[in-house]
Amino acid sequence: MAGTFGSINATASALRYHQAVMEVASGNIANVSTDGYARRRVVGQAVGAPAQPAMWSRFDGHGDGVRVGSVDRLVDPLLDSRARREHGTQSFLDTRAAALARVESSLGEPAGEGVSSALAGVRRAWQDLANNPDSAATRAQVVATSRTLVDAVAGQRRNIEAEEGDQRASLLADVGETNTLAHDLAAANEAITAARLAGNDTSSLLDARDQMALRLAELTGGTAVENGQGGLDVTVGGVALVTGGKAGTLAVSSGINPDGTSDGQPLALAVTPPGGTATAVSGLRGEVGGSVDLLGTTLPGLRAGLQAVAQQVADSVNAAHQAGFDQAGAAGQPFFAVDPSDPNGPLVLLVTDPASVAASAIGGGPNRDGSNGTAIAAALAGPTSGYQQFVTGLGNDVASVRRLAATQQNLTDQVDGAREQLSGVNIDEEMVTMMQSQRAYEAAARVMTTLDSVLDTLINRTGLVR
Amino acid sequence: MPINRVTQSMLTDRSLTRLQGSLSRLADIQEHLSTGRVLNRASDNPGDAATAMRLRASLGEQQQYARNAEDGQGWLASLDSTLGSANDMVRRARELGQQAVNGAMSQQSRDALAAEVDQLRSALVANANTTYVGRPVFGGTTAGSAAFTESAGVVTFTGDTNPVNRSVADGVVVDVSVAGPTAYGADGDNVFDHLAALSTALRSGDTTGVQTGVTALTSDSDRLVVARAEVGARTNRVDLAVTRAGDLETSLTNALAEIENADLPKTMVDLKMQEVAYQASLAATARVLQPSLVDFLR
């Protein structure tokens, strides 16, 4: 049986409990727009008989009040891990799409502003030379338009190289951020373990932990697993980056100098697990994976494609030019060279003297034949279509990666939506909870008043005779 | 997937996403309108971009063919008028010879005829060295400035007989020159030799010689007529090529516009619709974001 003040205690527990509920509700409302905040819910527990009665003991109590069983953080670890995966893929695709779109818009095609217009200019100049092979002006025009073509090709290469430089810089920044985050996550893991041992509320630490793990996934596509002590262990490329309270490091092992320039070696990354040795990793996702893919495959591929076009131009023009004869009747020299290491290359103009332009197909002395000009103009048809293929190929790649990114965005949004459905704060809901608790608090206060008056009757009125 | 809970930030996020989507579609249409093009980068439509680039290259080719053909027209026109006046001169010389053969004539009159023949001969030499943009039109690809040179009373061909070709269409090459000997006869037996012989025969009163000269000039005249007819035929080909290149240019320009250019009325309608959609989503956002239970609990 309950004691005299048993009911007062039960009522007091109600007041305490509902205060806690309102406190948590107000915390939820306060964080309605906080990034990474998962709503909390107070789980009440009726205080009553012990769950496991002791042998031979009797418990006849009931209605002993309520207490805060736990404050639940409404999250689903499965959804969290899906979100990390989708975000990793998303940022991988976004990084690639953005870089390729930049390169593509710098081409100035198909509006005919870039290399294709320069090629057309060269073909026109050769045709005009065929019409007027004895004119110094048309000869000079051939040299001038060829120089424009060389500059246009060099401009394209510079654009690709600039993008490579930007990607190297951003890769270094991402690697730095990854290491800082890994370090912070390890510290959070440790704090969580300590807080749990001390019995403190770990919700805010867990929010921070999940945020960091998500960002790590966005950076590297790394996967995270709960380690049984409240912390998250992160694996990047199959190698442990964070284990409990200890963090390893991600580093660029070759390919990039610390100042962001290329060291000429193939790009390679390595993860050093806590207390372990550096292990090469590949196939990363996220922003780092995107940059590695761009630097390792896509951008060098584009550079090679452009160089192939330059080679095609040089080969076609040289073959035709060497079959002709210049103003003095001497055999034509090579017109272009391809030099990938030339800062103004890869296409290099070799003939700069208008008199050396081999317009004539007839040797043996000076003449006014211009048919070799026609032949060279015709020979440029191959490189022109080669360049068109290069542009279309890039356009296809950009369109494809953009489509992939858009599709992935749907998936990412869906997972984010599912998380938000579970963890997001709804103000109406919190208001209802608050009202409910307010009323319950009021009712408990009324119970207290009633008890008071009951006791008053018993203590002050009992035994009094009027 | 059923939605179990809707939260405040879901509403804000979704509204923002949709506003962004709406705004970016608006920006796309605006790009189409302000550039007048729907194909602004290869990835907008890789297939069309490839076609557009090919069309633009063909367009450049056709324009060049037209330029080449127009240059050829200049050559052929100058050949035509030169051959015309050359034939007139040869015919006049033949008439003079005929006169001398037919009528009984004093030596003085024959000398006068001979003087005119000499004049015609030197005019014809100048005529045979006609140039077009600084090049002797009968000289082939010679680097020199004259097709025929006179030395010690003998006119010889100093040009070459290489063709002067103009590409006037894909795979169509027209020789726009006429080699000197084709029009004026081979060295040693050319119209200039015949005129000189006629003049000598007239001066010496050699009637047989005059008769021979007249006969020779008749065949010279025929040769010039044939050469002129050939020039006329080639002019036709080149003229046709100019027209064809112009037509092709128009149709290629149309095809390019079809692919690249924005359909203005359609784009305007799209813009209006997208504006309405954007305003609607703004209005919806404004309404959806305000109320919550707080507004009704007092």
Side-chain angles (χ1 to χ4, degrees):
Chain A
M1 287 292 281
T4 310
F5 295 115
S7 300
I8 292 186
N9 258 330
T11 312
S13 81
L15 293 176
R16 270 197 307 274
Y17 170 74
H18 287 291
Q19 233 163 12
V21 170
M22 285 190 279
E23 211 173 271
V24 168
S26 68
N28 282 343
I29 291 172
N31 286 299
V32 66
S33 59
T34 307
D35 255 0
Y37 179 82
R39 76 188 156 111
R40 318 326 187 201
R41 190 174 59 190
V42 179
V43 179
Q45 229 171 28
V47 178
Q52 205 116 58
M55 210 178 281
W56 310 122
S57 77
R58 254 166 38 87
F59 179 82
D60 58 356
H62 49 77
D64 288 343
V66 64
R67 65 185 162 87
V68 175
S70 64
V71 178
D72 278 7
R73 203 172 145 266
L74 288 161
V75 290
D76 178 353
L78 184 71
L79 272 180
D80 287 348
S81 91
R82 266 197 74 190
R84 283 191 289 269
R85 192 177 66 228
E86 304 308 349
H87 275 259
T89 309
Q90 185 74 56
S91 51
F92 173 78
L93 291 170
D94 285 348
T95 305
R96 284 175 50 77
L100 282 175
R102 275 194 294 272
V103 173
E104 187 198 22
S105 65
S106 72
L107 283 180
E109 307 289 358
E113 288 159 1
V115 171
S116 70
S117 114
L119 267 170
V122 171
R123 290 180 77 179
R124 219 170 22 244
W126 280 109
Q127 289 267 8
D128 284 343
L129 181 65
N131 293 343
N132 286 301
D134 53 334
S135 151
T138 53
R139 280 177 180 276
Q141 188 67 13
V142 164
V143 175
T145 51
S146 300
R147 191 167 287 138
T148 308
L149 174 63
V150 165
D151 290 347
V153 173
Q156 284 309 332
R157 192 180 75 167
R158 267 198 297 281
N159 285 331
I160 297 171
E161 281 173 350
E163 188 58 47
E164 284 180 311
D166 290 353
Q167 288 301 330
R168 279 195 294 271
S170 97
L171 180 59
L172 287 184
D174 285 347
V175 166
E177 192 185 344
T178 302
N179 288 330
T180 313
L181 267 174
H183 188 262
D184 292 353
L185 180 61
N189 281 347
E190 207 164 52
I192 289 165
T193 312
R196 276 178 138 204
L197 286 173
N200 295 337
D201 179 38
T202 54
S203 300
S204 300
L205 284 168
L206 292 173
D207 280 352
R209 175 202 74 173
D210 285 353
Q211 282 277 84
M212 287 188 270
L214 183 63
R215 180 67 191 138
L216 270 177
E218 278 176 354
L219 282 167
T220 62
T223 53
V225 193
E226 191 136 1
N227 61 13
Q229 292 161 325
L232 280 177
D233 286 352
V234 177
T235 309
V236 171
V239 182
L241 180 66
V242 178
T243 313
K246 291 195 174 65
T249 49
L250 172 68
V252 178
S253 47
S254 78
I256 307 179
N257 290 320
D259 64 354
T261 53
S262 165
D263 70 359
Q265 301 294 312
L267 186 60
L269 296 179
V271 172
T272 312
T277 52
T279 311
V281 287
S282 61
L284 302 192
R285 305 294 268 181
E287 290 169 27
V288 169
S291 292
V292 168
D293 206 43
L294 282 165
L295 284 169
T297 317
T298 316
L299 294 172
L302 285 176
R303 214 153 21 100
L306 194 65
Q307 191 178 318
V309 169
Q311 189 70 54
Q312 224 181 339
V313 169
D315 290 349
S316 320
V317 172
N318 287 351
H321 193 253
Q322 282 171 291
F325 301 92
D326 67 10
Q327 206 166 22
Q333 307 147 10
F335 202 83
F336 289 116
V338 176
D339 181 2
S341 61
D342 191 303
N344 296 315
L347 198 57
V348 179
L349 184 63
L350 298 177
V351 170
T352 50
D353 177 13
S356 306
V357 170
S360 171
I362 302 161
N367 58 57
R368 279 163 163 156
D369 182 55
S371 46
N372 205 43
T374 313
I376 293 175
L380 278 166
T384 302
S385 82
Y387 179 68
Q388 285 166 6
Q389 274 167 23
F390 169 72
V391 172
T392 320
L394 175 59
N396 263 323
D397 285 354
V398 176
S400 145
V401 71
R402 202 176 276 160
R403 232 177 354 252
L404 284 176
T407 317
Q408 179 65 36
Q409 189 71 57
N410 288 336
L411 200 56
T412 312
D413 284 351
Q414 191 257 324
V415 174
D416 282 352
R419 278 183 89 205
E420 178 63 27
Q421 263 183 45
L422 178 67
S423 308
V425 176
N426 177 308
I427 292 180
D428 296 348
E429 220 174 64
E430 300 303 328
M431 287 305 293
V432 169
T433 311
M434 197 114 99
M435 265 180 53
Q436 206 181 21
S437 280
Q438 189 188 356
R439 289 297 182 202
Y441 191 90
E442 283 169 12
R446 178 58 60 85
V447 170
M448 197 72 98
T449 313
T450 310
L451 283 176
D452 185 41
S453 106
V454 168
L455 287 175
D456 184 52
T457 308
L458 184 65
I459 296 165
N460 294 324
R461 310 254 178 96
T462 310
L464 285 185
V465 180
R466 227 181 284 211
Chain B
M1 175 171 181
I3 296 175
N4 306 315
R5 292 179 73 243
V6 177
T7 70
Q8 257 66 27
S9 49
M10 271 165 90
L11 286 179
T12 16
D13 287 354
R14 279 192 203 166
S15 302
L16 273 178
T17 313
R18 279 168 198 168
L19 279 181
Q20 273 296 317
S22 194
L23 208 53
S24 86
R25 280 192 293 277
L26 201 57
D28 281 349
I29 296 178
Q30 227 146 32
E31 188 190 33
H32 293 171
L33 266 184
S34 56
T35 58
R37 301 157 52 91
V38 285
L39 203 60
N40 287 298
R41 48 194 80 74
S43 60
D44 285 345
N45 186 337
D48 277 1
T51 314
M53 289 181 75
R54 262 204 318 277
L55 283 175
R56 190 165 273 114
S58 314
L59 194 59
E61 264 167 39
Q62 293 307 328
Q63 285 165 344
Q64 188 61 44
Y65 288 143
R67 282 156 71 98
N68 295 349
E70 277 155 19
D71 184 76
Q73 278 177 324
W75 273 74
L76 290 168
S78 128
L79 278 173
D80 182 62
S81 67
T82 311
L83 288 171
S85 54
N87 195 27
D88 289 349
M89 287 184 247
V90 171
R91 209 182 301 140
R92 174 74 188 144
R94 204 174 129 260
E95 276 167 22
L96 295 175
Q98 206 75 52
Q99 255 177 306
V101 173
N102 291 346
M105 224 173 227
S106 68
Q107 184 58 38
Q108 203 174 6
S109 309
R110 280 200 292 270
D111 283 349
L113 291 179
E116 195 177 344
V117 169
D118 286 344
Q119 285 305 314
L120 283 169
R121 181 174 177 274
S122 58
L124 199 61
V125 171
N127 171 286
N129 279 325
T130 300
T131 57
Y132 177 72
V133 266
R135 291 180 64 174
V137 286
F138 293 103
T141 60
T142 178
S145 59
F148 290 92
T149 330
E150 184 164 14
S151 114
V154 179
V155 174
T156 47
F157 180 58
T158 48
D160 58 38
T161 53
N162 293 323
V164 176
N165 288 331
R166 293 288 174 264
S167 319
V168 294
D170 198 14
V172 179
V173 173
V174 177
D175 179 5
V176 296
S177 72
V178 169
T182 312
Y184 296 92
D187 280 357
D189 185 27
N190 59 23
V191 63
F192 312 107
D193 297 334
H194 301 152
L195 286 171
L198 177 63
S199 161
T200 315
L202 281 170
R203 279 187 220 281
S204 61
D206 171 6
T207 318
T208 325
V210 172
Q211 189 66 57
T212 317
V214 167
T215 316
L217 285 179
T218 308
S219 59
D220 284 337
S221 174
D222 288 351
R223 201 169 41 229
L224 283 168
V225 169
V226 168
R228 198 176 174 199
E230 171 67 29
V231 166
R234 285 194 225 153
T235 307
N236 273 345
R237 281 178 72 194
V238 172
D239 286 352
L240 264 175
V242 171
T243 318
R244 211 176 111 70
D247 288 352
L248 269 173
E249 193 186 331
T250 313
S251 74
L252 285 171
T253 312
N254 282 342
L256 193 61
E258 196 98 338
I259 290 180
E260 275 192 344
N261 291 5
D263 177 355
L264 206 60
K266 182 182 173 296
T267 316
M268 287 305 295
V269 171
D270 285 353
L271 179 72
K272 206 67 219 165
M273 287 202 12
Q274 205 51 57
E275 260 174 23
V276 170
Y278 182 55
Q279 275 162 5
S281 50
L282 275 180
T285 307
R287 274 160 187 250
V288 119
L289 288 188
Q290 277 166 359
S292 77
L293 194 54
V294 185
D295 300 307
F296 302 96
L297 288 176
R298 289 282 176 264

